Amino acid sequence: MSKVILEGYIVVPEPDLENIKSELPSHIKFTREEAGCLKFNVNQDQSDSCRFNVYEEFSSKEAFSLHQSRVQSSYWGEITKNVERYYQISEQG
């Protein structure tokens, strides 16, 4: 079974920045607790406070899909609806 890797970044609109920063620790915690989550890192960029670098690894397509579904129906999904996403998704193994 191949794992799924997502790499990239998000750009947060300035008006949403503080709310997203305050919710990010919960989003990271809930994601890391998901079955099949191998790695999940979201870090604010050092040179651009509105950019957050993202790296995710999930054990399978199914685990990744379940994560995506959970996020879409979560509070995190609601508050990040205006975020621009720049991702590359690949499979390994």
Side-chain angles (χ1 to χ4, degrees):
M1 188 174 287
S2 58
K3 68 180 175 180
V4 176
I5 297 173
L6 179 148
E7 295 179 90
Y9 63 94
I10 61 173
V11 177
V12 177
E14 185 73 40
D16 298 335
L17 188 57
E18 288 308 313
N19 194 23
I20 286 174
K21 282 174 55 177
S22 71
E23 284 299 316
L24 183 57
S26 293
H27 174 58
I28 292 170
K29 176 186 178 298
F30 292 140
T31 300
R32 287 179 177 169
E33 291 173 350
E34 291 177 15
C37 179
L38 303 173
K39 292 183 183 177
F40 188 79
N41 299 311
V42 181
N43 300 298
Q44 191 171 23
D45 193 83
Q46 296 294 316
S47 59
D48 181 352
S49 64
C50 290
R51 177 180 164 143
F52 291 77
N53 300 307
V54 180
Y55 183 85
E56 305 177 9
E57 283 186 22
F58 286 86
S59 61
S60 65
K61 284 187 204 180
E62 181 182 42
F64 181 71
S65 293
L66 289 171
H67 165 68
Q68 294 294 309
S69 294
R70 183 194 65 80
V71 168
Q72 288 176 357
S73 62
S74 71
Y75 181 61
W76 178 258
E78 181 183 323
I79 66 168
T80 60
K81 65 180 181 250
N82 296 322
V83 165
E84 295 176 32
R85 292 166 170 84
Y86 301 91
Y87 298 143
Q88 290 186 331
I89 299 171
S90 61
E91 292 182 44
Q92 288 185 355

